Amino acid sequence: MKILKTAKLETVFDRLADALELYVPMVRGPQSGFYSWKTYDEDYDDLMLDILNVYQPPKDIILPQTEKLYDFKQDGTEINLEEANEKVEKKAIFGVRACDVRSFDYLDKVFLTKGYVDEAYKARRDSVTIIANACYNPGTNCFCDSMGVSPTEIESADVTLREYGPEGYVWEVNSPKGEEITKLIADLLEDDEVQLPELKPFIRRINYEGVPEKLKDMFDHPMWDRASATCENCGICTYLCPTCYCFDIQVKSWGDEGYRFRCWDSCMYREYSEMAGGNNPRELAKERFRNRFLHKLQFFNERYGTPLCTGCGRCIVVCPSGINIVNIIQDIKEAETGA
Amino acid sequence: MIEMTKQIRATASKLLQDGQVDVFIAWEKGDLEYQTKPFFANSVDDVDKIIFDEYSIHNTANSLLRFRDSKEKIGIVAKGCDSRGIVRLLEDNQISRDRLYIVGVGCPGLKDPLQAMLYNSGFSKKTVTDELADKCLDCIQPNAVIYDEFIGEQQEPRAGENRFSKVTELENMSADERYSFFEDVFSNCIRCYACRQVCVACNCRTCIFEETKPQWVGRETSISDNMMYHLVRSSHMAGRCIECGECERVCPVNIPLMLINKKLIQDMSDLYGPYDAGMDYVEGRKPPLSVYQENDPDDFI
């Protein structure tokens, strides 16, 4: 077994950051997320490898919240367009949990399959090496295994870290990209045989089986009134969700010039479904709420064969109204339908 | 608080039973001991779920906006801050007094379930503390200011002379330091609009930030669009913020929104006051910036 000792972490980060853009989970001031190791400030930032996860998922590394597409400028009757041509550097994300790794698989389905490849997304996605961190100790609101995600066997990881104790991690290479990055730090790894911890039981569990099929007949079910009654219709759950990918195309212009950009959008916002002319097919808060759960639990499954939820539990932790997707799945399962 | 919960349930039960109200707004427990959440009881059968405990921190008044276009009669539990929120809605003509049965309570200061969720979920290195929520430490009115029935004991305000100390710190910074401070905190904003959604003063039917023709504020998460969003929102709060602290409590990236609101509260008080929004309800009265008077100070224009 290749072993990475905790004491050597910072040396490994320095070495990797010399070769590529390295993102590491940190607490930064009042928030936590994956930030560039080059911006690490030991007086201000705190490494977050020894806890469950960071608040902000790594989604924005491959799908930035705001992304310029092209500049435009009018010159007489001509319009000149200039593509943004973002310079994509090689990246590695260190310490990603299984739920967040799986979210990349789901984003890949959206942006790379079914006959359309989003080139800007693909360039960023291809540039990323994922160094995952297996979970042996699920948190209070984790339910990844219920959504078909194994917290320890992480398919799309290039390297999987397995923390065997405070002293270090097993460094397990899973792909050619993983081999590539291992070469950069091979001399910092040690050979040893260690005992891996046992996976602790999950507190939250739910059985997703049958849910997408049952939802087909539940569009008008009264449970949506009850479940959505206290939803504030803010966008916290969508923006902190590792899998929510909806975006809008917007423009900013001044005088004869400007630029077009893509930015995250949230189905919780009224503007999201508003059409030219002012009609809104999802005018009511309940309709927007229902759409979010139907998309995650039914529509995405119909199109891609999997729910759009990896069980990371962030939405449960952050919802101001205490809305809980596990309870909603339970309500769906228990709901009486005409069928 | 167990006794208060019993009394609230008894009132809710009676009101729903007699048809005096159609819905009763309070709180219920989630599935974790520190998770209390907003709850609407629609029938007597729901009443047993109602709770008022140390985590009943959400401002109930905001929920009234969901009913502004309907005719239901509404029972509502109101702490000091919630009741000031009700006054906000009454002054803004968002709901009429005769549709409400207000169960006022004296609030001993509460804890924040969102913080407890965060600290207990493995998303933070901090662990659960027994401290009162920040918003409760600066409370100037723990007791309902408008009610049909009052439950519990009158409580003492918790805000001391430090109520505006952070504003003073900010004022003592140089302009450059202040700019860099705001640049720092607003650059974190993810534009989830939770601050707006939980705000009782944010009761516009169409928010300026949703308008597209023209689009007053861009949708980029850039420092300029983020600052524009917060500047516009906070200036709409002047004289209208009832200091419930919900915006800052729910912010997922911890932007110190109450610092801005407190600065405006202080300015409003200095210019037009002494004034604190929603401290009592006088029919027909409007907040200072909603009216024009010839003797208004205008030397700042």
Side-chain angles (χ1 to χ4, degrees):
Chain A
M1 284 174 171
K2 289 288 176 197
I3 300 292
L4 167 59
K5 288 278 171 64
T6 309
K8 287 189 179 161
L9 272 178
E10 297 203 9
T11 317
V12 166
F13 294 163
D14 287 339
R15 182 84 64 83
L16 293 177
D18 278 343
L20 38 74
E21 187 71 77
L22 179 71
Y23 294 89
V24 180
M26 305 177 200
V27 181
R28 172 161 288 177
Q31 52 177 337
S32 64
F34 291 88
Y35 305 112
S36 166
W37 180 246
K38 286 185 185 124
T39 64
Y40 175 71
D41 173 351
E42 64 179 331
D43 296 332
Y44 190 65
D45 300 322
D46 198 358
L47 277 178
M48 289 276 268
L49 284 164
D50 51 347
I51 62 152
L52 181 76
N53 209 343
V54 287
Y55 221 33
Q56 304 217 44
K59 173 170 77 172
D60 69 326
I61 298 170
I62 55 169
L63 186 66
Q65 185 160 8
T66 304
E67 173 189 359
K68 198 192 226 186
L69 302 174
Y70 59 84
D71 291 285
F72 57 82
K73 191 170 179 160
Q74 192 179 350
D75 185 11
T77 54
E78 297 276 295
I79 292 176
N80 296 313
L81 300 182
E82 197 178 328
E83 278 195 55
N85 282 331
E86 174 188 330
K87 192 167 161 277
V88 178
E89 292 177 341
K90 267 195 172 177
K91 304 175 186 67
I93 317 176
F94 195 97
V96 190
R97 295 297 189 181
C99 47
D100 291 342
V101 175
R102 180 63 69 86
S103 76
F104 281 19
D105 297 340
Y106 295 168
L107 296 175
D108 286 351
K109 287 177 191 291
V110 174
F111 291 102
L112 302 176
T113 71
K114 301 271 178 191
Y116 179 76
V117 173
D118 185 312
E119 295 297 341
Y121 174 88
K122 185 171 188 302
R124 281 190 297 267
R125 181 67 178 89
D126 288 346
S127 75
V128 169
T129 302
I130 301 172
I131 303 168
N133 188 6
C135 265
Y136 292 95
N137 197 0
T140 318
N141 294 296
C142 291
F143 58 104
C144 65
D145 70 335
S146 297
M147 301 316 285
V149 178
S150 162
T152 56
E153 304 313 312
I154 309 172
E155 289 160 26
S156 296
D158 298 303
V159 174
T160 302
L161 300 169
R162 298 183 186 280
E163 188 176 12
Y164 60 88
E167 338 52 270
Y169 302 83
V170 173
W171 178 280
E172 184 184 292
V173 178
N174 304 124
S175 77
K177 263 188 189 172
E179 280 168 24
E180 201 69 24
I181 205 160
T182 304
K183 281 183 200 157
L184 296 170
I185 55 142
D187 59 311
L188 296 169
L189 300 177
E190 297 166 24
D191 280 304
D192 201 355
E193 289 304 311
V194 293
Q195 183 74 36
L196 288 173
E198 294 248 329
L199 174 61
K200 295 209 178 118
F202 279 79
I203 301 164
R204 290 199 186 275
R205 303 202 78 119
I206 190 73
N207 184 355
Y208 175 68
E209 207 183 316
V211 168
E213 294 76 19
K214 190 169 179 188
L215 279 171
K216 282 180 189 170
D217 297 319
M218 287 184 63
F219 193 77
D220 293 316
H221 198 279
M223 73 154 274
W224 298 115
D225 291 304
R226 288 196 304 274
S228 68
T230 59
C231 172
E232 296 283 4
N233 258 237
C234 72
I236 297 185
C237 55
T238 54
Y239 283 1
L240 289 190
C241 174
T243 68
C244 273
Y245 56 80
C246 285
F247 60 83
D248 195 5
I249 307 281
Q250 294 260 345
V251 69
K252 185 160 276 185
S253 62
W254 55 96
D256 291 336
E257 58 187 301
Y259 56 89
R260 201 164 270 277
F261 60 95
R262 166 157 79 179
C263 59
W264 292 356
D265 201 355
S266 169
C267 57
M268 288 286 130
Y269 302 161
R270 176 184 290 164
E271 185 196 346
Y272 175 92
S273 49
E274 193 173 62
M275 299 160 130
N279 180 51
N280 195 334
R282 291 199 284 270
E283 183 65 43
L284 300 177
K286 177 190 91 172
E287 294 164 343
R288 300 198 284 276
F289 177 96
R290 176 179 59 194
N291 178 75
R292 178 161 194 270
F293 289 99
L294 289 183
H295 183 201
K296 292 216 165 286
L297 304 173
Q298 182 195 344
F299 308 151
F300 196 84
N301 188 74
E302 286 169 359
R303 186 165 167 84
Y304 298 108
T306 159
L308 187 62
C309 170
T310 65
C312 74
R314 286 186 180 87
C315 57
I316 301 175
V317 177
V318 298
C319 178
S321 299
I323 289 163
N324 180 327
I325 188 170
V326 175
N327 295 347
I328 288 184
I329 298 174
Q330 190 62 38
D331 286 351
I332 293 165
K333 292 183 77 80
E334 288 170 5
E336 288 177 24
T337 53
Chain B
M1 291 179 114
I2 294 170
E3 189 50 41
M4 287 168 85
T5 297
K6 275 188 197 159
Q7 290 182 44
I8 292 168
R9 283 182 188 170
T11 298
S13 198
K14 183 175 175 303
L15 293 170
L16 286 161
Q17 184 81 55
D18 298 349
Q20 260 183 282
V21 302
D22 303 297
V23 58
F24 190 89
I25 300 175
W27 303 268
E28 68 172 332
K29 277 323 267 187
D31 53 12
L32 296 163
E33 63 193 89
Y34 41 81
Q35 194 188 37
T36 298
K37 52 189 190 172
F39 177 59
F40 305 161
N42 293 301
S43 71
V44 179
D45 296 341
D46 292 338
V47 166
D48 281 350
K49 290 188 189 160
I50 291 174
I51 192 144
F52 179 66
D53 72 359
E54 57 187 350
Y55 290 103
S56 296
I57 202 164
H58 321 74
N59 189 333
T60 50
N62 176 263
S63 301
L64 291 174
L65 287 169
R66 293 158 216 264
F67 300 96
R68 63 179 157 183
D69 294 324
S70 54
K71 294 204 164 70
E72 291 105 327
K73 297 229 175 193
I74 304 156
I76 182 168
V77 185
K79 310 182 290 287
C81 50
D82 306 344
S83 71
R84 294 176 67 191
I86 294 173
V87 173
R88 162 90 292 105
L89 296 177
L90 294 171
E91 285 181 346
D92 292 351
N93 291 327
Q94 294 302 306
I95 201 140
S96 60
R97 179 67 180 93
D98 56 12
R99 287 178 61 195
L100 304 179
Y101 186 96
I102 305 168
V103 180
V105 294
C107 172
L110 303 174
K111 298 178 201 165
D112 180 3
L114 276 175
Q115 195 178 59
M117 289 293 283
L118 176 64
Y119 288 1
N120 274 297
S121 291
F123 283 85
S124 169
K125 281 191 181 174
K126 291 182 186 157
T127 46
V128 175
T129 60
D130 223 22
E131 290 161 16
L132 290 186
D134 285 348
K135 70 179 230 178
C136 296
L137 298 175
D138 280 341
C139 175
I140 59 164
Q141 181 49 282
N143 308 303
V145 298
I146 179 171
Y147 52 83
D148 297 290
E149 173 183 341
F150 192 89
I151 285 175
E153 286 164 25
Q154 295 278 330
Q155 302 282 341
E156 289 300 313
R158 282 169 294 276
E161 36 191 69
N162 292 335
R163 183 180 169 205
F164 294 110
S165 61
K166 284 184 182 151
V167 174
T168 312
E169 275 172 38
L170 193 72
E171 286 169 338
N172 288 337
M173 288 180 182
S174 70
D176 285 346
E177 284 170 343
R178 218 168 19 242
Y179 188 83
S180 122
F181 169 81
F182 281 119
E183 205 171 40
D184 194 29
V185 297
F186 290 143
S187 64
N188 295 337
C189 178
I190 59 169
R191 303 287 287 278
C192 67
Y193 303 119
C195 47
R196 174 188 74 184
Q197 295 304 105
V198 298
C199 179
V200 75
C202 273
N203 55 43
C204 292
R205 283 173 187 275
T206 303
C207 174
I208 178 173
F209 306 117
E210 278 169 5
E211 288 190 2
T212 49
K213 287 191 286 185
Q215 188 184 57
W216 300 99
V217 179
R219 306 297 194 259
E220 279 177 293
T221 38
S222 63
I223 188 67
S224 69
D225 283 358
N226 288 359
M227 272 203 186
M228 191 65 183
Y229 166 64
H230 288 285
L231 269 175
V232 173
R233 203 186 88 85
S234 61
S235 51
H236 284 180
M237 291 300 118
R240 306 181 65 252
C241 169
I242 49 98
E243 227 178 329
C244 72
E246 284 290 88
C247 52
E248 185 172 292
R249 185 179 74 82
V250 303
C251 177
V253 293
N254 293 335
I255 298 173
L257 294 159
M258 283 311 289
L259 176 61
I260 303 160
N261 289 334
K262 280 200 158 65
K263 165 70 178 154
L264 288 163
I265 287 165
Q266 201 177 36
D267 281 357
M268 290 303 293
S269 217
D270 290 348
L271 288 165
Y272 306 101
Y275 182 77
D276 282 299
M279 291 294 270
D280 58 342
Y281 178 57
V282 178
E283 208 175 334
R285 195 178 63 186
K286 296 286 171 200
L289 289 185
S290 301
V291 289
Y292 170 74
Q293 286 170 1
E294 296 236 323
N295 61 354
D296 279 346
D298 62 356
D299 51 354
F300 60 95
I301 294 177

